[in-house]
Amino acid sequence: MLAKGSFPWILTSITVSVVSFFAYLLYKVPYSGMIAALGISVTIFFLFFFRDPEREIKEHESHMLSPADGRVVDIRDRKICIFMNFQNVHVNRLPITGKIHTIEHKKGGYIPAFCKDSHRNERSHTLIETEHGLVEVIQIAGTVTRRIVSYVQEGDHMKQGQRFGMIRFGSRVDVTIPENFDILIKKGDRLFAGETVIARIK
C-alpha cells in the first residue's frame, strides 16, 4: 500500500523514465539514456519511501502508541522526540483515541530535524482532545523537501493508530505525554507507528 498523495510523485518519475527511454532507443537523444536510468532510480526510491504498510493496532485506553517510525533522539518535559530516517515509513498515526481539537501549520527554516533547534523548521501542531486532556503531536519537516501533509481536519473523531498525516523526505515527530502516564521508552529506542507502546497510564 502506498501513502495518500504519493501517486503524482510516482507518475511523474515513471513518465520521465518512459519518455527518456524511448528518446534514447528511437532517436539517440543525448543524455536521454542517463535521464531514463535516473528516472527509474527515482521511481524505485519513491515506491520505497511512500510505502504505507498495514499495522496490527492493539487499541487500548490505558496506553499510548508511537505516532511515528524512527528512533528516540530526546525525551524532555514529558515530550518524546522521534527522528525518522529515509528508510522509515513516514506516515504518522494517532497515539491515542480522541477528537482533533486544532491543527496549526507554521512555516520555518531548513535545520536538520534531529537538531534541538529544529523547532524553527516548518511544522504542524495537532492537538488531540482525549479523556486524559490535550495531547500534542508536532510534525517537523527536515532539510530536503519541506512538505507536511495532513489527512485529518479539526473536529474529526479518530481512533488510536489511525493515519493522520505524513512528512516527506526526512523529518521528526514530537509527542507530549499526559502527567497521568508513565513513559516506557528511553533515548535511543527504535519505535514503530501504531505498534510500539510508549506510555502507560499510572
Side-chain angles (χ1 to χ4, degrees):
M1 183 174 178
L2 295 173
K4 187 185 298 184
S6 62
F7 182 73
W9 294 75
I10 297 170
L11 180 61
T12 299
S13 64
I14 290 175
T15 301
V16 169
S17 301
V18 171
V19 171
S20 301
F21 175 75
F22 281 106
Y24 173 76
L25 191 66
L26 301 177
Y27 304 106
K28 297 294 188 285
V29 176
Y31 305 109
S32 57
M34 186 185 303
I35 295 173
L38 180 62
I40 292 171
S41 299
V42 171
T43 300
I44 293 171
F45 170 76
F46 282 165
L47 290 172
F48 174 78
F49 180 85
F50 286 114
R51 71 195 188 285
D52 183 14
E54 292 294 338
R55 298 278 169 87
E56 185 178 349
I57 310 298
K58 296 180 180 179
E59 185 181 353
H60 202 287
E61 61 183 14
S62 69
H63 64 235
M64 292 181 64
L65 300 175
S66 175
D69 283 20
R71 195 168 297 278
V72 179
V73 293
D74 199 9
I75 300 177
R76 63 181 186 274
D77 301 325
R78 302 200 62 82
K79 179 186 291 184
I80 298 173
C81 306
I82 307 164
F83 178 69
M84 295 183 288
N85 284 316
F86 280 106
Q87 69 265 27
N88 296 127
V89 174
H90 276 58
V91 174
N92 304 138
R93 295 175 179 265
L94 219 67
I96 191 169
T97 297
K99 175 185 176 182
I100 304 300
H101 185 269
T102 56
I103 302 173
E104 184 181 6
H105 189 89
K106 297 180 180 180
K107 295 181 179 180
Y110 294 87
I111 298 171
F114 55 82
C115 294
K116 291 184 178 180
D117 288 337
S118 61
H119 64 274
R120 300 175 185 173
N121 285 16
E122 177 190 353
R123 60 204 181 277
S124 179
H125 296 251
T126 301
L127 278 179
I128 308 161
E129 189 177 331
T130 78
E131 60 180 83
H132 306 286
L134 290 175
V135 172
E136 183 179 36
V137 180
I138 306 174
Q139 297 166 288
I140 305 171
T143 56
V144 188
T145 302
R146 303 184 301 159
R147 181 70 174 129
I148 300 172
V149 183
S150 180
Y151 297 166
V152 298
Q153 296 180 341
E154 294 179 359
D156 287 351
H157 290 270
M158 304 287 292
K159 289 185 178 181
Q160 187 178 45
Q162 282 189 296
R163 302 169 178 87
F164 74 91
M166 79 170 296
I167 320 171
R168 291 178 182 151
F169 310 119
S171 41
R172 198 179 94 193
V173 174
D174 296 350
V175 55
T176 57
I177 307 299
E179 292 289 341
N180 59 330
F181 280 77
D182 286 324
I183 296 174
L184 303 180
I185 48 90
K186 63 185 183 301
K187 185 176 179 179
D189 284 354
R190 186 181 179 188
L191 310 180
F192 295 93
E195 290 186 345
T196 306
V197 177
I198 58 174
R200 195 178 303 278
I201 198 165
K202 295 179 181 178

